Amino acid sequence: MSRNIKFPSKGRGILVGLQIAVCLGTLLAQARSQRAPETDVSIRTTARLVLAPAIVRGRSGEFVSGLRSEDFELSDNGAVQTLRVEQTTGQPVALVVVMQTGDGALREFQNYQTLTRLLKIADAGILQKVAFVTFDSKPRQVWNFPPLRDGVQYAMDHPESGDPGAAILDAVGQALDLLRQQSAAMRKMILLLSQPRDDGSQSSLSELAQRLGEADVTVYSVTFPAAKRVAFRTGRSGCNASQLVLPKELAGLCEETALQLATLSGGEHIEVRKSSALNRSVAVLRDAFLNTYLLSFQPGSRDPGPHLLSLKIRPPGSPYTVSFRRFYWVR
C-alpha cells in the first residue's frame, strides 16, 4: 500500500496566486529549454506491454535499490508473469498537476511557492511537459501542456472562484485525457492536491477505474483535511460503489479517493495538515519517484475487464514491504 504520512492543522481559502504563476512559468521555460538525454531510455512501446511501478522498502522504511527482475514475482489475475525491470534513467516526464480550489483548500498552500515545491518531485531536466487542472465541484481551468508561459501566468493570476465541491474523479479524468495525448515513451504522472474524498463528481466510478486501468499513469497524492462543514453532496455524484460491479480493491475509490488513486496506480500518498510540512512531503514524494522500479510484462491473458496484480519479493520471507500498481484494464 502507499504510505499515508500525517503532519500536524490550519486555515482554509482559495488556492493559487500570481507568485506561484511566475514560479510555474519559470519552471516551464526551464523544462522546455532542456532536453532529456535519450540514450539511457530503454522503455519499449509494445502495444501489449503493461507497466507496473513498484516501491520497495526495508524494515525501517528505507528505500531498497538494486533489485533485479528475478527478485520479483508478479501475478496477473493469479497467473505468474515473466517481467522485466525497465531502465528509466533520463526518461522524459509528462506531469499534470491537479489542484483543488475553493472552500476545501488550505490557505497555507498558496503562501509558500507551493507549486514550485511540488514540481521538484522530478528534475527540471527530465520534466519536459507540465499541464495544470484546477477543480471544485467540476474541473474549472485547464492548461494543456502550454509551450509558452504567458497564458499560464495570466490564467493563474485570474483563478475561478471555487465552490464547496471536490470533484476529484472528474479532475483526474481530465488529467488522464491530457496525458493520453503524450508520447508512449514518456513517463506519465499526476500530482493531486486535494481533500481526501470525492464530493460531486459526475463520472461514474467504473468509468474512471477503467480509464485509470487502461493508462500507464502513476498518481502521487497530497491531501489536506476537508473543511468542517456539511458535505456538499449534490446527489449526482457517480461515486457510489454499492451500485457497481467492481472488485473490492477498486470500490475504495469512493471513500478514500486520493489515497486509493495513488495506491492503485503504484504511486505515493501523503496527508499534510499545514504548509510548513510541505517541504518534507515533497522530499518524500521525490524520493519515492526516484526509487520506483518500473516493471513491465506482456500479459498472457487478454480477457476483457479489470486485471488484478499481485507482487511479491523473492525469496519468501524477505524483510521488505512493497507498494505497486494494483490493476490494469483490458477493453
Side-chain angles (χ1 to χ4, degrees):
M1 293 182 65
S2 298
R3 288 167 67 87
N4 189 1
I5 302 172
K6 299 183 180 180
F7 299 104
S9 180
K10 251 185 206 173
R12 296 169 173 83
I14 298 176
L15 192 65
V16 181
L18 178 60
Q19 185 180 28
I20 297 176
V22 174
C23 293
L24 175 60
T26 301
L27 193 143
L28 281 170
Q30 291 174 348
R32 185 169 177 261
S33 66
Q34 300 182 55
R35 296 189 61 186
E38 298 178 358
T39 55
D40 292 326
V41 178
S42 63
I43 297 296
R44 296 164 292 159
T45 57
T46 308
R48 291 171 57 88
L49 195 70
V50 176
L51 300 179
I55 301 171
V56 183
R57 290 183 172 87
R59 281 199 178 101
S60 302
E62 74 280 8
F63 294 102
V64 177
S65 59
L67 297 180
R68 299 170 297 179
S69 58
E70 54 264 36
D71 297 317
F72 296 93
E73 181 180 301
L74 185 145
S75 299
D76 173 358
N77 279 350
V80 176
Q81 304 294 308
T82 300
L83 58 82
R84 154 177 168 155
V85 177
E86 298 284 357
Q87 172 58 255
T88 60
T89 304
Q91 184 186 6
V93 171
L95 170 69
V96 181
V97 180
V98 179
M99 280 185 163
Q100 181 181 341
T101 61
D103 216 31
L106 288 181
R107 183 184 307 161
E108 287 88 341
F109 286 98
Q110 67 175 310
N111 295 329
Y112 294 83
Q113 297 182 343
T114 303
L115 190 56
T116 300
R117 294 183 182 187
L118 289 172
L119 290 180
K120 289 180 180 177
I121 188 174
D123 295 326
I126 65 170
L127 189 59
Q128 292 206 342
K129 292 191 174 185
V130 178
F132 203 84
V133 176
T134 66
F135 70 97
D136 46 28
S137 63
K138 63 181 179 180
R140 292 291 178 181
Q141 296 177 304
V142 179
W143 300 280
N144 185 1
F145 299 104
L148 300 175
R149 67 183 183 181
D150 300 32
V152 175
Q153 278 189 221
Y154 178 84
M156 295 183 70
D157 190 30
H158 300 78
E160 300 284 347
S161 58
D163 62 31
I168 299 172
L169 296 182
D170 288 349
V172 168
Q174 185 79 61
L176 291 173
D177 286 343
L178 298 179
L179 288 167
R180 186 173 55 186
Q181 304 167 19
Q182 303 308 306
S183 167
M186 301 191 81
R187 192 169 174 180
K188 300 175 183 179
M189 300 163 50
I190 293 174
L191 184 55
L192 171 65
L193 182 64
S194 72
Q195 67 183 48
R197 182 177 179 177
D198 186 274
D199 192 355
S201 281
Q202 304 304 299
S203 301
S204 72
L205 182 59
S206 57
E207 175 191 356
L208 191 282
Q210 178 173 341
R211 294 171 66 192
L212 181 65
E214 290 176 344
D216 289 320
V217 174
T218 309
V219 179
Y220 296 83
S221 58
V222 179
T223 59
F224 48 79
K228 292 181 180 179
R229 54 177 168 75
V230 177
F232 183 66
R233 300 295 169 195
T234 61
R236 298 172 298 178
S237 176
C239 200
N240 187 346
S242 64
Q243 299 177 4
L244 299 170
V245 181
L246 283 175
K248 64 180 186 302
E249 290 85 353
L250 306 185
L253 279 167
C254 279
E255 297 303 315
E256 297 179 303
T257 312
L259 169 62
Q260 291 302 319
L261 284 168
T263 298
L264 291 169
S265 67
E268 192 86 348
H269 171 74
I270 294 178
E271 180 179 345
V272 176
R273 293 183 178 274
K274 63 180 182 180
S275 58
S276 60
L278 190 59
N279 272 342
R280 184 180 171 192
S281 69
V282 172
V284 172
L285 291 176
R286 180 179 175 83
D287 286 345
F289 172 75
L290 294 175
N291 287 279
T292 294
Y293 291 91
L294 191 58
L295 310 178
S296 67
F297 67 97
Q298 292 182 315
S301 168
R302 299 297 292 174
D303 293 339
H307 285 233
L308 300 182
L309 301 179
S310 174
L311 184 65
K312 300 176 182 178
I313 304 297
R314 292 171 172 162
S318 297
Y320 301 138
T321 59
V322 58
S323 56
F324 56 95
R325 182 179 183 180
R326 300 299 177 125
F327 83 114
Y328 71 99
W329 199 290
V330 177
R331 282 186 183 273

